[in-house]
Amino acid sequence: MKVGRYNYAHQLGTDIEPLIADLRAMLVGGRYELTPEVKQFEAQLAEFLGARYIRGVNTGTDALVVALRALGIGPGDQVVTQANTFHATVGAIDLVGAEPVLVDVDPDTFLIDKRQLRDAIGSKTRALMPVHLYGKPTPMAEIVALAEARGLFVIEDAAQAIGARIEGQSVGTFGHFGCFSFHPSKNLAAAGDGGAVVARNAELDEALRRQRELGQVGQNNHVVVGFNTKLDALQAKILSWKLPRLEEWNEYRRKVAGWYRERLAGLPLGFQARTEGETHVYHLFQVRTRERDSLLAHLRARDVDVVVRYPTPIHLQPAFAAKGWKAGQFPVAERLARELLCLPIRPDIGIDEIDYVTDCIHEFFQNVAVG
Ligand SMILES: Cc1ncc(COP(=O)(O)O)c(C=O)c1O
C-alpha cells in the first residue's frame, strides 16, 4: 500500500464544474485584483474565525511582514519568538530590519516556553510572536497578559493552525495581529500561495491595509511606503470554495490523530502533549523517537510518505549565521529537530491506511529497532 501526505483532488470535491465556471468567468472578465471574490472570502473567513477585520495577502510570510510593518516594527526593535518553527517566522522579523530573539520550547507541547519568553523581554522588545505549531494552539491568555503588562504587541503566527481554538476562541484573534497561510500544504490550501491577516481593531486593520496596498489612501496618494501583497482573486475564489468544508476536515484530522495515538500506545514514541480546552487542528501529526532516521527509512521503504519538519532548527540555519546563535543554545528545539517525524495526515486518509502505517511502525519496533 502507498500512503501519501496530500490529496488535492479530494479537497476540491467531486463536482468542480461550478468552480471552474466561476474561474473561467473571472479569467475572461479580467476580475483579478481586490475583486468582490476577495472581499467575499475575507468576509467568509472572518465569520469562520469569529473575527471582524481580515485582509487577504499573497503568502503567510507576507502576512507576518505586513503585520510587523503595520506596527512600525523595524531597525532597533526586537521581536521574541521560538527556535523551532518554520524559517518564515524568523525570516519575517529579519526582513523588516528588526532583531529576532529566540527562546527554546517546551519539551512536551513543543510550543514556546513561557518562562523563557518572559525572561527574553528587554528594553528593545516591541513584540512577542508565538507560533501555533503543527496546529496546536499556544495558550494565549498568559502571553497577552504579559504583553499588556510590558506594553508589547502580540503577533500570532497561525500559519499552521487555521480553525484551532482555545475554549472556543479561534487562534489568530488573541493578539494585535494573527497571520495565516494558504500554502498548498496547509489545512486550507490555495492552488498556489495565499495568506491572510486578522487585525484586532479598525485602526490596526487600516495600517495593515496600507502595508498591503503600497501605502495608498485613494488613487495616487501614497501616505506611507507599503508592500504590494494582495490575495489573488482567483485564489480567493478557490479558498471560498473549500472553506465551508474546513471544519469537517479539521474534525477528521483530530480523529486521525486519536487513531494514531491509540494504535501506537505502548510503543517507545512520544506525542505532542494535549492541553485542556484546546481544539488542535493537526496540520502535522508528529511522533517523537530517538530512532527517527531509521524509522523514517523503514516507513519510506514501505511507501509511507513520512517527512521531517524541520531537521535543522532556525538558529543553526546558514541564513542566520550572522546572528551568532550557537549549537546547544536551544537544546529542546535541537532534540525535537533530531527526533520528530510527521506521519501522513489528510482529511481523506482511510482507516486502512492508518492501520498500515501503524502496523509498519509496530513492525519497526519489534524487528528493526533493537539495541
Ligand atoms: C509557522 C509558519 N509560519 C509562516 C509560514 C509562511 O507561510 P507561507 O509559506 O504561506 O509564506 C509557514 C508556512 O509555510 C509556517 O509553517
Side-chain angles (χ1 to χ4, degrees):
M1 180 183 282
K2 202 175 165 77
V3 185
R5 269 185 298 136
Y6 303 113
N7 180 353
Y8 291 111
H10 167 265
Q11 291 178 15
L12 289 164
T14 44
D15 177 14
I16 60 168
E17 287 318 313
L19 172 64
I20 301 292
D22 283 347
L23 293 174
R24 186 181 296 118
M26 290 172 73
L27 272 175
V28 298
R31 298 211 306 273
Y32 303 147
E33 288 220 309
L34 293 188
T35 62
E37 286 82 5
V38 177
K39 293 195 174 61
Q40 195 209 321
F41 171 65
E42 288 170 343
Q44 230 180 312
L45 185 60
E47 196 186 338
F48 176 81
L49 295 172
R52 183 138 174 224
Y53 303 100
I54 294 207
R55 303 279 172 181
V57 294
N58 265 342
T59 66
T61 307
D62 283 4
L64 294 166
V65 168
V66 289
L68 286 158
R69 286 275 297 215
L71 294 170
I73 293 173
D77 298 330
Q78 291 183 339
V79 178
V80 187
T81 189
Q82 59 206 60
N84 71 327
T85 180
F86 180 58
H87 171 84
T89 313
V90 184
I93 299 168
D94 203 63
L95 280 170
V96 302
E99 186 189 343
V101 173
L102 299 184
V103 298
D104 212 346
V105 289
D106 181 277
D108 299 320
T109 62
F110 315 159
L111 301 176
I112 201 159
D113 182 309
K114 275 182 281 176
R115 191 187 53 76
Q116 293 187 37
L117 176 65
R118 184 185 298 270
D119 292 347
I121 296 171
S123 59
K124 292 184 183 170
T125 309
R126 295 283 312 284
L128 309 178
M129 197 190 270
V131 184
H132 303 295
L133 201 64
Y134 314 139
K136 178 177 172 70
T138 303
M140 289 305 298
E142 257 180 81
I143 292 178
V144 169
L146 173 66
E148 266 166 23
R150 306 291 291 266
L152 305 174
F153 295 115
V154 176
I155 300 173
E156 295 173 69
D157 184 341
Q160 301 188 358
I162 193 157
R165 294 187 286 269
I166 302 168
E167 307 286 359
Q169 183 176 343
S170 294
V171 303
T173 66
F174 291 88
H176 294 83
F177 287 115
C179 300
F180 294 92
S181 165
F182 309 122
H183 179 271
S185 64
K186 298 297 191 284
N187 290 25
L188 180 65
D193 280 313
V197 185
V198 174
R200 181 182 276 185
N201 58 40
E203 201 184 325
L204 289 174
D205 178 57
E206 174 56 16
L208 191 287
R209 188 198 64 72
R210 292 177 184 184
Q211 283 302 317
R212 177 180 78 163
E213 296 166 33
L214 294 161
Q216 240 173 329
V217 177
Q219 210 169 13
N220 296 320
N221 183 33
H222 301 265
V223 295
V224 291
V225 177
F227 292 83
N228 185 15
T229 176
K230 306 177 293 270
L231 179 66
D232 276 355
L234 295 167
Q235 297 297 356
K237 185 83 230 173
I238 292 166
L239 291 163
S240 279
W241 175 260
K242 292 183 177 183
L243 182 56
R245 282 173 299 151
L246 179 62
E247 190 59 29
E248 181 193 316
W249 294 339
N250 283 343
E251 185 64 48
Y252 190 74
R253 284 173 179 273
R254 282 189 286 280
K255 277 196 188 145
V256 171
W259 291 328
Y260 271 135
R261 284 175 194 266
E262 257 169 48
R263 284 161 173 72
L264 298 171
L267 292 179
L269 284 174
F271 303 103
Q272 192 174 26
R274 283 178 284 198
T275 306
E276 187 74 25
E278 75 176 7
T279 309
H280 196 316
V281 292
Y282 289 99
H283 169 57
L284 300 177
F285 185 80
Q286 298 270 17
V287 292
R288 182 174 178 187
T289 165
R290 292 208 173 135
E291 317 278 350
R292 195 270 307 278
D293 291 340
S294 38
L295 178 59
L296 176 130
H298 175 87
L299 290 171
R300 284 207 176 145
R302 281 152 187 76
D303 269 338
V304 178
D305 189 6
V306 282
V307 72
V308 175
R309 299 255 189 272
Y310 306 93
T312 307
I314 295 293
H315 61 291
L316 304 178
Q317 286 284 355
F320 298 119
K323 305 282 178 218
W325 292 318
K326 301 269 181 306
Q329 200 173 342
F330 305 106
V332 180
E334 286 175 36
R335 259 192 87 178
L336 294 176
R338 282 195 303 272
E339 296 184 356
L340 288 180
L341 184 67
C342 303
L343 303 185
I345 187 160
R346 318 182 308 263
D348 69 313
I349 196 166
I351 202 125
D352 54 332
E353 293 175 275
I354 290 160
D355 284 338
Y356 176 69
V357 174
T358 54
D359 285 351
C360 290
I361 297 175
H362 277 275
E363 178 201 13
F364 173 80
F365 283 106
Q366 271 154 25
N367 306 328
V368 184
V370 280

